[in-house]
Amino acid sequence: QFFLMRFGHHDVVIDPLALLDGVTVGGGKAGLWVEGLRMASRPWGVELPEPGTLEPGLTINRADGEVVSRFSIGTIFPIDIVAVDSIDTFWERYLPVLLLAAAVGVVLVAVWIYVVFRVSRRHLSLGAELREAVRQDRLFVVYQPIVDLATARIVGAEVLVRWRREGGNVVNPDVFIPVAESEGILCDVTQRVLDKAMQELGGTIRRDPEFRININVTREDLEHGELPDRLARTVAAAGLPPGSVNVEITERSLVASSEASSVIQRIRRQGHAVSVDDFGTGYSNLAYLQRFELDSLKIDKTFVDTIGSGAANADLVTRIIEMAHSLELETVAEGIEHLEQVKWLLAHGVSRGQGFLFGRPMDVGSFKKTLARSKSA
């Protein structure tokens, strides 16, 4: 029997049996309906349930020991295929595939559990190792020059913490600072940084009272409440005036800490200048700047990069500088890499800056040599 149809100017002849391949049907039974009319079956004339009596998909008829499936296609003419097979034949045909799929699933779950376990264990072991490194004073610091843009002379340095593990590899702060936070030892890390800076540059500061170092503090330092006292004790023990150490706080830490305002007031009363770091990457509005007592504002590198680029957000640098000037804050530009940026910043009233143009973060020996060259220039 053939199925005849006309489609536009074409006459079409279809052999329905060609749609019921014997290999697919196997030892079971199958039938094909077009628009509700039964067109073909294998074996021919076999008794099959009507498609309208079945739900789409697979149905198990335990009473007759059969697996019944209905598959429908909503083409120009609706087509339904019904296949019936014995449960025993179904398991014989598909059980190996199902067992293989189950085995693969078990392996994938086992691999997932193993990966989660290793990552968790690595994180825990990294935390324990970091805690031990802090306890044994194995953290070290590097210094990035801060310069007077008008003279290109070094007037200070930002102190940055680093961690070299026992194997010799240096861990990125983006990795170990969150670990330190989760371990509850961020305040200890800050204290180690302050101690190192006093040991390594204390003599430099005593010889040059105008020289300043900048220490980064975190939200945890602000919340802990002991930061002002720690600063006072450490700086006094080094025989230095409080004004030789500036404090940098990210704007996210300022807004996130409920204690920030009172702690900043205490720090400033002790004689330390306070700077908001990475300005432009967070809240960046006049209201919160007015709420805190600040001395300077550091413009983030992402905005300095737009200077002279013609980018859509290039005018944001101008607005940030105007905002700082309206609050009588000193401005420091981060991430300076080109002389054209220096010229633009000077023309817009930015007095100080740092970046690869003046020097990358370096150890204390290299920094002292760079500082000596700057003074003799």
Side-chain angles (χ1 to χ4, degrees):
Q1 297 184 14
F2 293 98
F3 176 56
L4 307 178
M5 60 177 284
R6 174 166 287 174
F7 186 73
H9 297 292
H10 303 279
D11 293 322
V12 182
V13 180
I14 300 175
D15 179 5
L17 290 178
L19 303 179
L20 294 175
D21 187 273
V23 175
T24 303
V25 176
K29 304 173 288 185
L32 180 141
W33 282 257
V34 178
E35 287 195 312
L37 299 176
R38 180 166 167 173
M39 301 297 299
S41 63
R42 283 184 183 272
W44 179 255
V46 69
E47 183 177 349
L48 290 166
E50 295 288 329
T53 64
L54 301 172
E55 293 291 331
L58 198 67
T59 304
I60 297 179
N61 184 352
R62 298 188 182 278
D64 297 330
E66 294 178 332
V67 177
V68 183
S69 61
R70 174 191 168 187
F71 177 70
S72 302
I73 306 174
T75 57
I76 297 175
F77 298 100
I79 296 176
D80 295 285
I81 296 177
V82 174
V84 179
D85 209 346
S86 71
I87 293 179
D88 293 338
T89 304
F90 175 85
W91 285 119
E92 181 181 342
R93 183 180 301 141
Y94 296 111
L95 184 59
V97 176
L98 293 175
L99 290 175
L100 177 61
V104 171
V106 170
V107 171
L108 290 176
V109 170
V111 169
W112 179 78
I113 293 174
Y114 174 77
V115 170
V116 171
F117 174 76
R118 287 297 300 270
V119 170
S120 301
R121 185 175 179 181
R122 179 180 180 276
H123 180 78
L124 291 174
S125 62
L126 190 65
E129 186 180 346
L130 177 59
R131 183 180 289 276
E132 186 68 12
V134 172
R135 189 179 68 82
Q136 295 186 2
D137 199 23
R138 293 205 302 267
L139 299 180
F140 69 98
V141 296
V142 292
Y143 304 90
Q144 184 168 32
I146 299 174
V147 304
D148 183 317
L149 294 181
T151 63
R153 295 191 64 181
I154 297 176
V155 294
E158 181 177 0
V159 187
L160 303 167
V161 64
R162 297 291 185 265
W163 174 30
R164 182 178 288 108
R165 302 176 70 183
E166 290 186 352
N169 61 311
V170 176
V171 184
N172 193 309
D174 292 342
V175 174
F176 76 80
I177 291 299
V179 175
E181 182 179 7
S182 65
E183 291 289 316
I185 56 175
L186 265 180
C187 295
D188 295 330
V189 171
T190 302
Q191 183 63 49
R192 295 295 185 273
V193 171
L194 184 59
D195 290 339
K196 290 283 187 183
M198 293 294 96
Q199 293 168 11
E200 295 180 347
L201 288 184
T204 300
I205 299 172
R206 280 188 288 272
R207 288 188 297 270
D208 183 0
E210 299 299 320
F211 185 85
R212 302 285 185 269
I213 61 170
N214 289 16
I215 302 292
N216 293 282
V217 301
T218 66
R219 178 180 61 84
E220 286 71 18
D221 291 306
L222 299 175
E223 295 286 353
H224 200 268
E226 294 185 5
L227 178 62
D229 295 333
R230 287 187 174 192
L231 275 171
R233 287 195 303 268
T234 308
V235 175
L240 300 174
S244 62
V245 178
N246 298 338
V247 172
E248 293 188 13
I249 309 171
T250 64
E251 54 179 330
R252 289 185 178 86
S253 296
L254 283 176
V255 177
S257 173
S258 59
E259 302 294 327
S261 181
S262 61
V263 173
I264 288 173
Q265 288 177 4
R266 289 179 59 193
I267 291 173
R268 293 185 79 248
R269 283 198 298 268
Q270 291 175 190
H272 304 282
V274 178
S275 173
V276 55
D277 192 17
D278 299 332
F279 188 82
T281 61
Y283 300 88
S284 310
N285 64 71
L286 191 63
Y288 98 81
L289 285 179
Q290 290 175 321
R291 182 155 51 95
F292 297 102
E293 295 181 12
L294 302 169
D295 297 283
S296 63
L297 180 153
K298 298 187 76 173
I299 305 170
D300 189 71
K301 180 183 185 302
T302 56
F303 293 94
V304 174
D305 287 342
T306 66
I307 293 174
S309 66
N313 61 343
D315 63 334
L316 285 176
V317 186
T318 304
R319 296 182 183 178
I320 290 171
I321 295 170
E322 291 173 350
M323 186 186 302
H325 289 169
S326 69
L327 296 173
E328 299 182 351
L329 299 178
E330 182 184 48
T331 48
V332 181
E334 297 182 296
I336 300 174
E337 298 181 0
H338 310 290
L339 282 173
E340 290 75 13
Q341 294 171 330
V342 175
K343 294 176 183 177
W344 189 95
L345 291 165
L346 281 171
H348 287 77
V350 179
S351 58
R352 298 190 174 185
Q354 64 187 95
F356 290 171
L357 178 64
F358 310 110
R360 295 173 180 268
M362 60 191 81
D363 61 45
V364 65
S366 300
F367 178 77
K368 287 182 178 179
K369 293 178 182 177
T370 303
L371 179 60
R373 289 195 298 267
S374 170
K375 289 183 177 180
S376 61

